[in-house]
Amino acid sequence: MPSDAPGSVQDPIVVEPRRLATGRSVEAGLDALDTATAAPARRGAWRTLTRSVLPPVVFLALLVGVWQLVYLAGVKPSYALPGPAKVAATFWETVTDGRAAEAVWTSVSRGGVGFALSLVIGTLLGLAMWASTWLRAAIGPIVSGLQSLPSVAWVPAAIIWFQLTDAAIYTVVLLGAVPSIANGLLTGFKQVPPLFDRVGRVLGLGGLDRIRLVLLPAALPGYLGGLRQGWAFAWRSLMAAELITYSPSLGQGLGQLLNIGRELSQMSLVITSIALILLVGVAIELLVFAPLERGVLRRRGLTTDR
Amino acid sequence: MTRPAARADERAAAGAAAAVRVAGVTQRFDRVGPPVLDGVDLAVAPGEFVCLLGASGCGKSTLLNLIAGLTSPTAGSITLSADRPALMFQEPALLPWLTAAGNVELALKARGVGRAERRDEADRLLRLVNLGGQTGKRPHELSGGMRQRVALARALAQDSSVLLMDEPFAALDAITRDVLHEELVRVWSAQRLAVVFVTHNVREAVRLAQRVVLMSSRPGRIVQEWTVDMSQPRAIESPGVGALATEITAQLHQEISRHAQ
């Protein structure tokens, strides 16, 4: 070994070169060490119960308890604030006489159709805005602005254009959901690391294949966020539209049920309708969007949530 | 044991057509200041392992991107024996929604390999980098070294005679890096690829290469070359590697010191 010249790298004192034949077992050992940490066991049923189910149930029970106390204290006359028992009776009545099912089905099917239309239009709009910088510059600010415009503001215009028809309702739903979906897709595209595109080019993927195999899957998390928000906006817009456009030809959605409660001054029906609207929102979130998003994020290692 | 290479380009040119030929390449990103690369000539013979060495700002990554065809030079020409060189980045750059096998298969798909054949070939390549048991894992389930081995398998799936590597092991710990050096040399000797390997780690360069090319910074020029005559596999801490690394480091320090004024 020559002694270190000034400014040279440090040379370790080597008596004998390491034997290279050990390499494969060193590698196997490293791999085993790196992957040996077993994933923590999936939550058991008991843990799910205590961590996820119990807290909201306890909170709801507390809420009902406070409600009952306020009712008993007579803060408001009973027609304005009926007690939990009365509301429960009305809720049960609407469920047993089929009005709840009818209203939920009418609204959810409208919401579903409206959301499906928004999905197609919003996705196409998002793709067009991503592909054309001119289009993005031209309508980007308007699309972002529309996202913050409460779509109930469109109801009067929609009624004047389409009278009291489903078309008026769908117009409002679309104006609520399309901007969120288009913006979500655009955000998804913007967040794709440039390295992924370089990988596609290095591998020799053509333009269309790069979009299909690299860019679109990479943009999926942002797109899903947009879809989720798009659904929330569609559902809100739908309720606003149903509440205002009341006509026998339109059938009876949840918004209309709510309106009947108001017209009859039947507070228990009003609370029942609100509860149903909330339940549908929670159900769609829990059954559709949350599992979808969790699946995508977990597959990519973007969440520690199990 | 070692000698400065006498214009290795000429030697390569004398033999068969070079795998990579860089001729008079100059690259500027702006009009003011010195060019990033200034009149670079480099020829890499088929099956030759060359390390490009230099301090930051010497344009070695720029040169690699030019050879990869990701950018085109301001002046000069670059010719390759392969249609499309394989390229490995400093990051594994695996697509996180695909499994290890899926990432390798993407490269095969880009080459137009049929579906059934893709599966078998991806399996074979992952076994080649000793990841036969991890084909179904997603990138986030693998360690940094394992991900870089998947990236190597993906680069090999491009089936190119030229493999370009841009500091692929810089982010790894020393033990993992040792293992990957062995892995790479083993794969290289089996496949007889021309490798251009960019690094700022002198010992790594001497450990791996048949020829080490030192570049100066601002402007990026090739200043000196060394042929490494030691046989493979060689250990990074062997006296021979240490001695040559010391010599090259002294030269590198001299190059860097020129910028002190």
Side-chain angles (χ1 to χ4, degrees):
Chain A
M1 266 324 281
S3 63
D4 280 5
S8 76
V9 289
Q10 270 192 321
D11 283 299
I13 299 149
V14 176
V15 183
E16 197 174 88
R18 179 167 58 83
R19 284 192 56 230
L20 279 163
T22 59
R24 179 63 195 103
S25 61
V26 172
E27 183 177 54
L30 279 179
D31 288 359
L33 287 173
D34 280 328
T35 47
T37 50
R42 294 293 290 270
R43 265 184 205 183
W46 174 249
R47 216 170 115 87
T48 310
L49 192 73
T50 54
R51 288 287 182 94
S52 310
V53 179
L54 216 54
V57 169
V58 168
F59 178 71
L60 264 183
L62 277 175
L63 203 65
V64 171
V66 172
W67 176 10
Q68 178 69 26
L69 286 178
V70 172
Y71 170 69
L72 288 177
V75 176
K76 286 267 184 189
S78 66
Y79 70 84
L81 185 71
K86 174 98 170 69
V87 173
T90 308
F91 191 96
W92 185 242
E93 194 187 311
T94 26
V95 170
T96 46
D97 69 8
R99 276 192 297 167
E102 187 204 339
V104 167
W105 171 246
T106 306
S107 290
V108 168
S109 56
R110 261 186 203 142
V113 170
F115 181 69
L117 279 173
S118 310
L119 184 72
V120 174
I121 299 172
T123 303
L124 290 176
L125 186 65
L127 280 173
M129 283 169 70
W130 172 71
S132 156
T133 38
W134 187 88
L135 192 66
R136 200 184 319 165
I139 68 172
I142 299 173
V143 171
S144 298
L146 279 179
Q147 242 181 315
S148 51
L149 177 77
S151 51
V152 65
W154 292 105
V155 174
I159 292 176
I160 292 171
W161 290 332
F162 301 106
Q163 287 78 48
L164 291 173
T165 58
D166 275 340
I169 292 181
Y170 285 131
T171 305
V172 176
V173 171
L174 255 65
L175 284 164
V178 166
S180 293
I181 296 175
N183 256 340
L185 184 57
L186 209 55
T187 311
F189 279 138
K190 282 183 193 158
Q191 287 168 350
V192 176
L195 186 62
F196 287 177
D197 191 55
R198 288 181 72 202
V199 168
R201 286 168 60 197
V202 165
L203 295 183
L205 292 169
L208 270 181
D209 276 345
R210 271 211 311 279
I211 292 176
R212 192 168 61 87
L213 299 171
V214 178
L215 201 67
L216 284 176
L220 193 59
Y223 183 49
L224 273 183
L227 291 189
R228 185 186 215 167
Q229 196 189 37
W231 164 259
F233 281 20
W235 184 242
R236 287 187 208 179
S237 314
L238 180 64
M239 290 305 107
E242 283 187 351
L243 196 54
I244 296 175
T245 57
Y246 181 72
S247 144
S249 63
L250 283 178
Q252 206 179 80
L254 286 168
Q256 279 109 357
L257 192 65
L258 182 57
N259 200 37
I260 292 172
R262 185 183 67 87
E263 284 182 351
L264 299 177
S265 286
Q266 193 186 345
M267 192 59 187
S268 58
L269 184 59
V270 168
I271 297 177
T272 295
S273 308
I274 294 174
L276 284 171
I277 294 171
L278 198 65
L279 275 176
V280 171
V282 171
I284 301 270
E285 167 68 23
L286 286 183
L287 296 177
V288 180
F289 290 103
L292 210 60
E293 192 170 50
R294 207 168 44 235
V296 166
L297 294 185
R298 196 185 290 163
R299 218 169 312 148
R300 296 170 190 224
L302 294 173
T303 176
T304 51
D305 189 26
R306 291 190 166 265
Chain B
M1 191 190 315
T2 62
R3 61 185 158 81
R7 294 311 301 169
D9 334 344
E10 289 158 25
R11 191 192 48 192
V20 177
R21 182 180 300 282
V22 176
V25 162
T26 295
Q27 179 74 332
R28 290 178 175 278
F29 292 122
D30 50 9
R31 285 168 192 288
V32 292
V36 181
L37 294 172
D38 186 22
V40 172
D41 293 302
L42 176 73
V44 180
E48 191 186 13
F49 199 131
V50 172
C51 276
L52 283 180
L53 191 66
S56 343
C58 73
K60 51 194 192 295
S61 290
T62 306
L63 180 57
L64 205 71
N65 282 338
L66 287 168
I67 299 174
L70 291 174
T71 43
S72 35
T74 313
S77 72
I78 290 163
T79 40
L80 293 172
S81 64
D83 282 349
R84 188 182 303 284
L87 175 60
M88 263 179 84
F89 304 95
Q90 180 170 345
E91 307 84 31
L94 301 177
L95 304 181
W97 58 91
L98 297 174
T99 59
N103 270 284
V104 177
E105 282 184 43
L106 186 66
L108 298 167
K109 187 173 185 165
R111 260 175 55 210
V113 177
R115 186 185 295 267
E117 215 181 315
R118 283 207 292 266
R119 172 99 15 104
D120 294 343
E121 181 65 2
D123 270 0
R124 188 187 70 80
L125 288 166
L126 284 168
R127 274 200 309 274
L128 186 69
V129 295
N130 293 327
L131 284 175
Q134 320 282 349
T135 53
K137 293 257 174 79
R138 289 180 199 279
H140 72 94
E141 298 171 297
L142 301 171
S143 71
M146 291 159 106
R147 279 180 223 163
Q148 207 52 289
R149 272 144 67 198
V150 177
L152 177 59
R154 180 175 66 185
L156 295 174
Q158 291 187 251
D159 197 29
S160 176
S161 55
V162 178
L163 173 59
L164 309 174
M165 309 181 85
D166 191 359
E167 305 194 35
F169 307 142
L172 302 176
D173 66 89
I175 297 174
T176 306
R177 192 159 56 213
D178 281 355
V179 167
L180 281 171
H181 286 159
E182 257 179 84
E183 191 92 54
L184 175 61
V185 168
R186 189 169 56 77
V187 166
W188 163 73
S189 24
Q191 315 262 324
R192 282 291 132 198
L193 302 162
V195 178
V196 182
F197 187 108
V198 161
T199 180
H200 55 246
N201 182 333
V202 181
R203 280 177 166 273
E204 179 173 60
V206 178
R207 159 73 180 86
L208 292 171
Q210 293 177 299
R211 181 153 59 105
V212 177
V213 174
L214 180 66
M215 292 179 72
S216 65
S217 302
R218 287 188 226 144
R221 284 193 186 120
I222 291 177
V223 288
Q224 200 171 335
E225 300 190 353
W226 290 264
T227 299
V228 187
D229 284 339
M230 291 169 274
S231 65
Q232 291 282 16
R234 44 180 103 115
I236 198 161
E237 63 275 72
S238 67
V241 170
L244 183 54
T246 306
E247 181 189 334
I248 296 177
T249 302
Q251 193 62 42
L252 177 60
H253 284 179
Q254 202 180 318
E255 276 304 319
I256 296 171
S257 307
R258 287 197 305 108
H259 294 271
Q261 299 85 344

